[in-house]
Each structure stands twice: as C-alpha cells, then as structure tokens.
Amino acid sequence: MAEYNNVKSIIIVGGGTAGWMSAAILARSTEHLPCTITLVESPNIPTVGVGESTIPSFLDLLDYLKISKKDFIAYTNSTFKLGIKFIDWLKIGDQYWHPFGSIGAKIDGVSFYHHWLKSKFNCESSEFSDFSPSVALAEYGHFLAPSKSSKSILSEAAYALHLDSEKTAQYLNKYCIEKGVKHVLADVNRATLDEQGMIDRLILDSGENLVADLYIDCTGHAGLLIDKTLKVEYIDWMRYLPVDKAIVVHTDHNGPLSPYTKAKALEYGWCWNIPLRNRLGNGYVYSSKFCDDNKALESLCKNITGKVITEPRTLRFKTGKRKHFWYKNCVSVGLSSGFLEPLESTGIYLAMKSMLNLVENFPSSTYEQSLIDEYNRLMHIEFDCIRDFIVAHYCLTKRDDSDFWRSWKEREIPDSLRTKLDVFSANGQIFKNPMDLFSEESWWAVLEGMGLRPRQYLPNVDSSDYMRVRDSMQRGVMALRNAAKMAPTHAQFIDKLLK
Ligand SMILES: Cc1cc2nc3c(=O)[nH]c(=O)nc-3n(C[C@H](O)[C@H](O)[C@H](O)COP(=O)(O)OP(=O)(O)OC[C@H]3O[C@@H](n4cnc5c(N)ncnc54)[C@H](O)[C@@H]3O)c2cc1C
C-alpha cells in the first residue's frame, strides 16, 4: 500500500456553524485516515447565532454525514422550507416566490418557461410560479416530503430546513466528539509564521501552543488566521450590495407554521421571518448609511408576529470575499472567508461547499499549489454567482420610496450580471455558469418576480401545438392545486414525522 502522505493533523479555530460543520465534514471524510482533528473555540467570544434558513443541499449534507433527518429535525426544532416568499421587492404591494424544485416540465424538449412565456404573450393569466409544486403547497401552508418514486404531481417539489443555529452547532458538536474530534475551549491569542510564511503554531491565552499541518479559520468576522495573521486581502463588494447591518429578535409562536421563509423589503433593506417549531427568528438587514439602529428596530417590530422573547441584537458585516480563500496552510470558512447577505440563505451552503471542495482537493504535506488554485477557483465561482443572483433581487426594483431604493437606479452592477440580464431580455435564455448554485428556474422565478420579461420566447416553441400546450398547462395548474390542498398541513406533517 502506498504511504499516506496527506496532512496528518488539522486544527479548526472557531465553534460557530462553520467550525462545527467543517469539523463534521472533515471527521466524516477522513474517518479511515490517520488524521487528527482538533476544534478550538473561545469560551468568551460568542458566535453570530444567526443562519437559520437553508437550501436543499443541506439535506444532502445530513445524508453525507449519515445523520438521521428525523433525529436532527427533532433536536434542532426544525421546520420545512419550500422556498422564499418575496414581498414588496418590485414595488410595495407586490409579491413573488422563489420556490425550490422544478417549475413545470419540458414540453417537446423545450424548457417549460418558454412555453409559459408564449402563453403570457397570448394573455393567459397563470403566473410562472403557479406551475411550481412547492408554491402550490406553500400557498396552502401544507407540506409533503416529495418522493421521486411517487407518481404524485407534487413529487417535483423540493425542500430545505429552517433550523435553530445554536442547536445545530450543539448537534454537530456531539456528532464530532463521537467521531473523535478533540474539542479545546480556549482563546487563541495569535498565530506565528514559519520562514515560508506558513502558519507554524497557535499561541493560546494560557501560553500553551497548538500545532497542526493544516489550519481552518472559522473565527467569523475576526478572521484571526486568514486576515490578522496571513493578511489576505478582502475584496469589498459594498458598492454592489450596500446593506451592512442586521438587527435580530426572536418571537414566540402565535399562528400556523409557514413552510417557507418570508423576505419582505422594507424602507432601507429587508426583513426575514423564519418559523421554527418553538419560536420565530426575525431580522432586519439594512444599510446604516440610510437608517440608524433605533429606526431599524422600530421597523422590524412592525413586521413581526408574537411576543419578543430575546433582547434585540445588532450585527455588522461587510459584503465581499477573500482574494484567496485558501492561502498557504490555512483555509478560511464561513464568515472569515467572505459575506453575502442572507437573502437566499447561502451562508451555511458556502461553509459546507468550502469543506466539500477541500475534501476533493485534499492537500498532501507538500501543499501542491495546483490544488490550492483549483480550490480557490471553485470558491470564487460560488461567491460570484451567488453575488449576481442577490444583486438581481434588487437592481430591477421600481421602488422609489426612500433614498435606499432610489440609490439602485444609479448603482453599478457586476458585468457578469449585466450580460445575463441583456441575454435574458433578448430571448429569455439564462447565460449560466454551469457551476452556478442557482438553476435556470431559480433565475426565471426571480427575474419574472422582479418584472423583467424577455422580448421574445425561443422560436422552437412554435413547433408545438399551442392549443394542446395551453390546455395541458391549465389542467396542470388545477391538478397541482388540488393535490396541494389534500396534503397535510405543515404542522400535521411534522407531528406525524416526530411521533
Ligand atoms: C444577519 C445574518 C443572517 C444570516 N442568516 C443566514 C441564513 O438564514 N442562512 C444561512 O445559510 N446563513 C445565514 N447567515 C450566515 C451564517 O450565520 C454564517 O455563515 C454562519 O453562522 C457561520 O458563522 P461562523 O461560524 O463563520 O462565525 P461565528 O458564528 O461568528 O463563529 C466564530 C467562532 O470563532 C470563535 N473565535 C473567534 N475568535 C477566536 C479566538 N481568538 N480564539 C478562539 N476562538 C475564536 C468564536 O468563539 C466562535 O465560536 C447569516 C449571517 C448574518 C450576519
């Protein structure tokens, strides 16, 4: 057998969602290798304690970790999420859905979207999202876990979870300890570098030293290793996405459990409402240039339901990414690697993707630059694609009720997004990077929601019999609605699952 030449020891600094998720993925991925994993976290520096809405790939992660979904859902007070309902983004009073799963199915080999577009040009009333099984369920507040083997018209729905971030970290902590991860509670005072500029050791406040081959920086905004020690540049994207603060409160439950995240545009940003089984998570993400904390809290309080059960917490952030996510023998993960506002719930996904990419480009003790470059290339694509998708939610707005919304008329948008919007406006095609997290259907849902209609549909749509297509579309909408109506309520589904 060839001698094992990969790194033999890894230290993760930070015990937030990113830290424990990294530890879990590494522990699972290296379980048959002679590699020790240590997680060191400060007993004094709190985690951000937000990050409660996920996307469907989170469930793939649970499968990868061989974690029982039922067990995880029970422990973390999770609920199901079928997508996001966007309110007041195009203009006040308007709303649209970005659902998970497919929206319609190809007809005669051509994307459903283009057939639907033709029907719109022929003055049909059905909206694009009416063809989404996830929206059909969400509109009724119902839920059914889709099964690919079932013949149900709802089987193309997809879902993610809303979860309690603190309980998720606790759950993963327990998982990691069982997998042999060593847990150290200590403040890391600083790190030292060797003569090649690699991290040599961590010096704890106690004076004790910790040494490993590979270091994972999960210290959140502090960026203790990637920023303070290795001084890797942070690429600022505030000119594209100007929100820089959030105020967060939890409220108690006082109504039915929505199977979706709500994202409502407010005067200076937007607020979220995330339902868990025991409480609601709420936050207002805003631009401090236009709005102070008191005003933000006042607006948030007008957009929550239930009694406030936590002190309001204010968080500051700077949108952007690291120039190198992996540099020398240090990989930054989570908030230390970059930040994109949580409009599409991508923070946890990015942390997970960082680790899965690391596992695929796992270094040997010589740290081949080709693997580091490939890792960085993949992570830049992830960040850039998500950035463009988030900017697309704002830049088409017709709102002009505040300086914040008016500022979008003048704001620069990334060239990659400009190309995408131009191609889409011409013929409805999505000029897509194959690695874009978001599918064409996601782009179509958001661009249609934001009022951008292409000038024409694809010509090959005309080779289908329009009346046949129109009739089958009308029958499809009715069938989806009827099936969704018969499904259990979200609460009934969870009660039965956890019984
Ligand atoms: C307002 C807001 C809302 C969000 N909503 C979502 C969402 O809905 N969905 C989603 O996917 N993502 C969301 N995110 C992103 C998500 O919260 C983060 O990706 C996730 O929490 C990861 O944070 P982290 O672990 O990197 O950092 P943190 O939670 O800040 O953890 C940092 C850790 O490092 C430790 N540490 C720091 N310095 C030291 C030191 N010197 N020595 C030892 N330990 C140290 C701390 O003790 C802590 O354990 C949101 C983010 C924000 C700001």
Side-chain angles (χ1 to χ4, degrees):
M1 206 169 111
E3 200 189 329
Y4 176 72
N5 189 31
N6 287 353
V7 297
K8 293 188 177 61
S9 54
I10 304 173
I11 293 181
I12 298 158
V13 188
T17 310
W20 285 111
M21 196 181 284
S22 299
I25 294 173
L26 288 173
R28 161 83 177 90
S29 309
T30 61
E31 58 195 354
H32 302 301
L33 301 177
C35 182
T36 63
I37 300 169
T38 304
L39 184 143
V40 49
E41 72 173 308
S42 162
N44 303 310
I45 305 169
T47 62
V48 290
V50 278
E52 307 209 312
S53 185
T54 65
I55 58 174
S57 52
F58 186 77
L59 293 151
D60 299 336
L61 176 67
L62 295 184
D63 285 343
Y64 178 72
L65 298 176
K66 297 193 181 140
I67 287 175
S68 142
K69 287 189 192 101
K70 181 176 165 183
D71 195 41
F72 182 85
I73 288 168
Y75 188 85
T76 57
N77 283 317
S78 293
T79 65
F80 292 98
K81 172 182 173 189
L82 291 158
I84 306 176
K85 186 183 202 174
F86 289 94
I87 301 164
D88 293 347
W89 283 81
L90 177 59
K91 49 189 189 315
I92 292 173
D94 194 84
Q95 70 172 52
Y96 73 92
W97 288 97
H98 173 202
F100 297 137
S102 40
I103 308 179
K106 276 189 174 174
I107 301 173
D108 299 331
V110 181
S111 299
F112 176 81
Y113 174 75
H114 289 277
H115 287 280
W116 170 82
L117 196 54
K118 178 171 177 178
S119 79
K120 269 322 220 194
F121 288 147
N122 281 290
C123 301
E124 291 297 329
S125 59
S126 292
E127 299 302 334
F128 184 49
S129 62
D130 290 345
F131 298 89
S132 153
S134 294
V135 171
L137 285 163
E139 292 272 19
Y140 283 109
H142 289 181
F143 185 78
L144 201 58
S147 141
K148 295 287 172 217
S149 59
S150 116
K151 293 214 169 52
S152 165
I153 193 164
L154 298 172
S155 63
E156 292 299 320
Y159 66 95
L161 297 179
H162 299 123
L163 43 82
D164 180 318
S165 68
E166 220 170 283
K167 288 204 167 270
T168 299
Q170 283 166 14
Y171 190 98
L172 293 175
N173 172 330
K174 186 163 166 282
Y175 172 94
C176 290
I177 302 302
E178 282 165 8
K179 286 248 178 270
V181 173
K182 194 173 156 209
H183 185 196
V184 178
L185 270 179
D187 283 291
V188 180
N189 183 280
R190 67 199 159 89
T192 58
L193 301 180
D194 66 15
E195 59 284 359
Q196 276 126 40
M198 310 271 271
I199 294 180
D200 180 47
R201 60 193 55 236
L202 305 178
I203 320 270
L204 306 186
D205 269 0
S206 61
E208 199 188 326
N209 291 359
L210 294 179
V211 178
D213 295 330
L214 179 65
Y215 296 85
I216 313 288
D217 186 344
C218 295
T219 58
H221 291 305
L224 181 76
L225 306 180
I226 198 76
D227 188 89
K228 304 225 165 51
T229 309
L230 294 166
K231 315 253 183 283
V232 174
E233 188 188 326
Y234 193 81
I235 300 173
D236 184 332
W237 279 340
M238 296 295 289
R239 66 189 182 287
Y240 299 131
L241 290 164
V243 296
D244 59 353
K245 277 192 123 175
I247 190 153
V248 182
V249 293
H250 295 165
T251 50
D252 63 4
H253 245 301
N254 69 348
L257 271 187
S258 313
Y260 55 86
T261 301
K262 220 182 330 168
K264 184 177 179 194
L266 302 181
E267 226 176 335
Y268 305 106
W270 60 278
C271 80
W272 76 76
N273 304 108
I274 298 177
L276 298 184
R277 289 208 310 289
N278 58 332
R279 63 160 170 85
L280 297 162
N282 314 278
Y284 182 11
V285 176
Y286 56 98
S287 165
S288 63
K289 182 173 164 206
F290 299 102
C291 177
D292 64 35
D293 296 350
N294 289 335
K295 207 146 107 187
L297 181 59
E298 207 179 295
S299 302
L300 178 62
C301 288
K302 287 187 194 142
N303 285 284
I304 53 182
T305 53
K307 198 166 98 241
V308 173
I309 52 173
T310 53
E311 281 298 314
R313 272 196 317 132
T314 311
L315 304 164
R316 187 177 273 285
F317 46 79
K318 185 166 161 189
T319 298
K321 64 172 181 179
R322 289 284 158 204
K323 186 171 177 195
H324 309 289
F325 300 99
W326 178 355
Y327 187 68
K328 305 275 185 185
N329 59 345
C330 172
V331 181
S332 57
V333 181
L335 300 174
S336 68
S337 68
F339 183 80
L340 284 160
E341 63 188 83
L343 190 55
E344 283 287 350
S345 325
T346 45
I348 294 172
Y349 164 81
L350 281 167
M352 169 186 129
K353 200 67 192 175
S354 307
M355 274 305 108
L356 294 175
N357 278 338
L358 179 66
V359 168
E360 288 188 357
N361 293 285
F362 206 63
S364 77
S365 47
T366 52
Y367 286 94
E368 292 93 337
Q369 192 58 39
S370 56
L371 296 181
I372 298 178
D373 291 346
E374 177 59 3
Y375 175 92
N376 284 325
R377 185 185 74 83
L378 295 173
M379 291 312 299
H380 279 298
I381 295 174
E382 294 283 353
F383 268 81
D384 295 359
C385 288
I386 295 172
R387 174 203 62 194
D388 285 3
F389 193 54
I390 293 175
V391 175
H393 291 63
Y394 283 102
C395 68
L396 299 164
T397 187
K398 296 197 168 71
R399 281 187 69 150
D400 62 357
D401 52 299
S402 70
D403 290 346
F404 173 78
W405 289 106
R406 282 188 289 275
S407 77
W408 284 94
K409 292 200 171 51
E410 314 297 330
R411 198 169 290 288
E412 179 187 353
I413 68 168
D415 290 343
S416 44
L417 177 60
R418 171 57 57 214
T419 307
K420 202 170 283 226
L421 297 182
D422 288 347
V423 171
F424 174 79
S425 300
N427 71 354
Q429 290 285 70
I430 299 297
F431 185 83
K432 195 171 164 321
N433 186 317
M435 283 188 50
D436 190 337
L437 165 66
F438 293 101
S439 67
E440 287 176 313
E441 280 152 321
S442 290
W443 277 95
W444 283 322
V446 170
L447 296 181
E448 170 62 22
M450 290 307 294
L452 189 64
R453 275 276 166 82
R455 291 188 285 279
Q456 58 186 33
Y457 53 84
L458 286 182
N460 48 2
V461 165
D462 285 334
S463 61
S464 297
D465 173 354
Y466 177 65
M467 295 313 280
R468 174 181 62 88
V469 170
R470 196 195 67 165
D471 289 351
S472 94
M473 283 168 70
Q474 284 173 350
R475 280 198 309 276
V477 171
M478 289 314 295
L480 266 183
R481 286 195 186 138
N482 288 336
K485 203 169 169 180
M486 304 295 286
T489 67
H490 188 201
Q492 282 167 345
F493 184 89
I494 295 176
D495 286 350
K496 191 162 169 216
L497 176 78
L498 299 183
K499 213 184 263 169

